[in-house]
Amino acid sequence: MATKRATRMSNKRLKLRQQHWPDITDNDLWLRSETKGFTTIPRGISLIMRIMDSLSLKKPLSNTYITLWCYAFDEMTITIQKPRQMALESGFTGQRAENTWRERMKRLEELGFIRSTEGATGDFHYVLLLNPYIAVKKLFENEKYDVPTVLYNTLIDRVDEIGETTIMVDETEN
């Protein structure tokens, strides 16, 4: 059930849409509530992806990572049945596509964005998506990694704006 605030904000955005694009109907839009083909992603994902790419120069990780999110359900577990397809969706083609994809997956695991277990299709048959806000916080606090301060601070501003609290959790409290 939507809260009064959520309903009010939704009505405000609908009114803006009708005001600026009166010729657009719901049929012209991809609406999450009208489909089964959706996933939920963190609102700070664009900044998180920029941070991960900054830690893997000339070997961007973000396309591989967002592809994983497109397969995730609320339990954050993924069973990878078709590594070649995952490689393709991540932007890799040719003879080395799967190897390149596996290299990116290894780096995502090294950085703390995912965990994996081997299975029938290889080392990354089962994948668990970890909380990316906590992963970024740990990377920022680790002197081994050079997380750009401007990106981290912008992410902190964004999570404050959206009310995300997991990045603010003090790890010593757990």
Side-chain angles (χ1 to χ4, degrees):
M1 177 176 254
T3 66
K4 287 182 183 179
R5 182 177 186 272
T7 301
R8 188 173 64 246
M9 294 304 294
S10 177
N11 289 338
K12 180 180 178 182
R13 289 186 297 269
L14 282 171
K15 186 176 177 181
L16 278 172
R17 189 175 87 196
Q18 291 163 352
Q19 177 183 350
H20 294 289
W21 301 281
D23 59 318
I24 298 296
T25 68
D26 284 356
N27 291 334
D28 297 315
L29 305 172
W30 185 91
L31 299 172
R32 182 179 68 154
S33 61
E34 303 296 322
T35 184
K36 293 180 191 224
F38 69 90
T39 190
T40 304
I41 61 171
R43 288 191 181 268
I45 196 79
S46 58
L47 288 163
I48 291 163
M49 290 173 21
R50 296 259 335 265
I51 289 168
M52 67 177 48
D53 283 348
S54 76
L55 298 173
S56 191
L57 296 176
K58 298 189 181 184
K59 294 185 177 184
L61 303 170
S62 56
N63 284 346
T64 302
Y65 189 66
I66 198 68
T67 299
L68 293 172
W69 274 94
C70 289
Y71 280 83
F73 290 90
D74 289 343
E75 299 77 22
M76 296 292 102
T77 58
I78 305 160
T79 303
I80 297 179
Q81 301 286 352
K82 301 174 185 175
R84 186 151 192 81
Q85 181 175 333
M86 294 297 284
L88 179 66
E89 289 185 43
S90 299
F92 309 117
T93 58
Q95 290 180 320
R96 295 198 28 81
E98 286 182 65
N99 287 338
T100 303
W101 175 78
R102 274 192 289 280
E103 288 172 12
R104 299 306 198 281
M105 293 290 286
K106 285 178 189 173
R107 185 68 176 149
L108 285 169
E109 191 157 32
E110 289 168 8
L111 293 174
F113 289 100
I114 66 170
R115 300 217 23 217
S116 67
T117 303
E118 65 183 327
T121 61
D123 292 345
F124 299 101
H125 186 77
Y126 301 106
V127 176
L128 178 68
L129 291 175
L130 300 172
N131 185 323
Y133 293 110
I134 293 173
V136 167
K137 180 180 181 181
K138 288 179 180 179
L139 291 166
F140 184 75
E141 292 172 347
N142 186 334
E143 293 179 13
K144 178 181 173 184
Y145 299 101
D146 188 20
V147 174
T149 304
V150 67
L151 291 177
Y152 185 78
N153 288 342
T154 304
L155 181 62
I156 294 299
D157 289 344
R158 181 72 174 126
V159 299
D160 184 52
E161 175 186 312
I162 62 177
E164 173 63 51
T165 58
T166 59
I167 198 168
M168 304 303 186
V169 172
D170 183 359
E171 297 299 319
T172 59
E173 292 177 9
N174 294 334

